[in-house]
Amino acid sequence: MTRPGGRSARVRDAVHDAVVELLAIGEINAAIPKIAERAGVNPTSVYRRWGSREQLLLDAAVTRLRATSPIPDTGTLRGDLLGWAEGVERAMCDPRGQILLRALVATLAPDKQPIEYLRARGEDLQATLDRAAARGEDVPTVDDILDFVLAPLYLRVLFRRPVEPGTGGKLVERLLTALRADPAPNAGRGG
């Protein structure tokens, strides 16, 4: 069992930081030995834990986004989604968040989709939707949230368009307006 904040967490944090630092200086193709050297760990530790550079990038992106944009439990779906979208917006305004997202997309193999990344974020969102449905709120699907909120924020970063303050909130309001306009197909669904 790993201890929170123990050696395993320190290694993970050092390796994640090294990845972001190398990406920030333009080394998008840095190999695991270079990442390990920058992190001050043995390359075999990195290979053992992540297996590939792509898996490392995926883990770094998911870990960072979960830390910078957790989904709060405010007691309402609107509050939860607004809090989360504001966190995503902040992460997408942060150069490190932008670097990780661009690197993640750039390193995806043509025959692979970012399934693990989307699954991880989808699980977080689904838990929020399940809580809202249990309270009797009409809920969108995870795909609706991805389409209405996450995709527009990510696309702005990928195409180097500014993410203006309040964009996340506007996108959530657009989603909730669409849900209210057509509540019957969405009522109680959790995607």
Side-chain angles (χ1 to χ4, degrees), residues 25 70 78 110 122 130 133 145 159 166 181 186:
I25 60 173
R78 182 179 183 278
D130 291 347
I145 295 170
F159 288 104
N186 299 320

Side-chain angles (χ1 to χ4, degrees), residues 58-175:
L58 178 66
D59 185 55
V62 169
T63 300
R64 177 168 177 75
L65 287 170
R66 278 185 163 165
T68 59
S69 58
I71 304 173
D73 186 356
T74 65
T76 68
L77 178 62
R78 182 179 183 278
D80 295 350
L81 292 178
L82 284 171
W84 167 73
E86 289 166 3
V88 172
E89 179 184 311
R90 278 191 308 276
M92 293 300 97
C93 288
D94 178 352
R96 288 178 165 233
Q98 294 173 4
I99 288 167
L100 269 175
L101 179 63
R102 288 184 187 123
L104 180 63
V105 171
T107 60
L108 290 173
D111 61 336
K112 292 185 180 176
Q113 295 183 8
I115 300 297
E116 290 299 314
Y117 175 71
L118 291 177
R119 185 181 55 75
R121 290 308 280 177
E123 288 171 357
D124 295 343
L125 290 168
Q126 188 61 58
T128 297
L129 296 176
D130 291 347
R131 284 193 307 270
R135 291 188 300 261
E137 295 182 75
D138 288 340
V139 298
T141 65
V142 169
D143 284 344
D144 291 336
I145 295 170
L146 295 177
D147 291 345
F148 276 83
V149 182
L150 200 58
L153 288 169
Y154 282 9
L155 282 173
R156 287 172 192 251
V157 170
L158 293 173
F159 288 104
R160 299 184 189 279
R161 303 288 302 153
V163 178
E164 301 295 332
T167 300
K170 289 176 187 173
L171 294 169
V172 167
E173 293 300 344
R174 187 180 299 162
L175 168 64

